[in-house]
């Protein structure tokens, strides 16, 4: 008797938990709002049966990993550019935009705001990450010509940007 009740309770809980998971159509709707819908779909499909908050958390975790890896790349580029003051200056500027006062800090803020249920704040903090990425790659001022960077940094930064786009779309859905 006890086992039958346990099985029924467990089945009910699984049903309730799965009823809040977003559908494939909802994932497609999210991903259509990003620059690279196939990247988005691959990322979100890797976390099946998740609700929007869980997907937001997962995507923030992915952003953290990508920002951390980008910082490692930037540090390596700084080390290897000692003979080129212009590139060293560019990479040092990028480190400021990705480091403790930049993107990694904004990822932490995004995380904290998600935990508080402040989905509008999540959107603002995620937008700050995009600004950090853009300031690194394109420069802080529209009058500044972008540094002609032929390293792997722009590719890493573009990946961070793609992940943050997903966070932005999900946070907009959470607000509504």
């Amino acid at each position: 008797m006890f086992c039958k009740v346990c099985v029924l309770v467990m089945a009910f809980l699984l049903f309730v938990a799965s009823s809040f998971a977003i559908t494939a159509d909802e994932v497609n709707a999210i991903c259509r709002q990003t620059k690279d819908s196939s990247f988005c779909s691959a990322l979100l499909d890797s976390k099946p049966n998740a609700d929007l908050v869980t997907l937001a958390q997962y995507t923030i975790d992915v952003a953290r990993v990508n920002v951390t890896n980008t910082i490692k790349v930037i540090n390596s580029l700084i080390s290897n550019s000692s003979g080129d003051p212009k590139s060293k200056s560019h990479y040092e500027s990028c480190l400021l935009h990705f480091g403790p006062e930049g993107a990694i800090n904004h990822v932490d803020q995004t995380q904290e705001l998600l935990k508080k249920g402040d989905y509008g704040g999540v959107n603002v903090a995620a937008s700050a990450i995009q600004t950090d990425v853009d300031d690194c790659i394109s420069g802080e001022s529209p009058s500044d010509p972008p540094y002609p960077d032929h390293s792997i940094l722009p590719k890493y930064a573009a990946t961070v940007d793609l992940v943050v786009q997903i966070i932005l779309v999900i946070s907009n859905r959470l607000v509504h």
Side-chain angles (χ1 to χ4, degrees):
M1 174 75 177
F2 179 71
C3 264
K4 288 182 183 179
V5 171
C6 290
V7 170
L8 287 174
V9 169
M10 188 62 113
F12 176 75
L13 291 174
L14 288 173
F15 173 75
V16 170
S18 66
S19 67
F20 294 111
I22 67 167
T23 66
D25 287 342
E26 290 171 307
V27 168
N28 290 335
I30 290 168
C31 293
R32 277 195 301 271
Q33 296 178 52
T34 66
K35 288 182 191 172
D36 188 339
S37 61
S38 61
F39 174 87
C40 174
S41 293
L43 182 68
L44 296 183
D45 288 345
S46 68
K47 193 75 172 170
N49 301 317
D51 61 16
L52 279 176
V53 173
T54 302
L55 283 179
Q57 177 60 59
Y58 174 68
T59 310
I60 291 168
D61 292 342
V62 171
R64 178 176 284 104
V65 168
N66 281 281
V67 168
T68 300
N69 288 339
T70 303
I71 291 169
K72 290 176 185 174
V73 166
I74 294 169
N75 281 323
S76 174
L77 291 168
I78 291 170
S79 295
N80 293 328
S81 65
S82 59
D84 183 356
K86 192 171 183 177
S87 65
K88 185 173 183 177
S89 173
H90 168 70
Y91 296 132
E92 287 173 342
S93 173
C94 284
L95 186 57
L96 291 174
H97 291 295
F98 275 89
E101 300 300 318
I104 197 68
N105 179 51
H106 294 126
V107 169
D108 292 339
Q109 289 175 356
T110 304
Q111 172 73 58
E112 290 172 24
L113 292 164
L114 181 67
K115 286 180 180 177
K116 292 178 182 176
D118 181 356
Y119 306 127
V122 168
N123 193 283
V124 171
S127 294
I129 300 167
Q130 278 190 318
T131 300
D132 294 325
V133 171
D134 190 52
D135 286 351
C136 166
I137 299 302
S138 300
E140 293 180 22
S141 169
S143 63
D144 292 340
Y147 178 76
D149 194 341
H150 301 290
S151 74
I152 60 172
L153 177 58
K155 180 180 175 186
Y156 274 71
T159 300
V160 171
D161 189 60
L162 290 174
V163 173
V164 172
Q165 287 175 26
I166 299 167
I167 296 168
L168 289 168
V169 174
I170 292 171
S171 66
N172 281 334
R173 286 182 168 260
L174 286 167
V175 167
H176 299 285

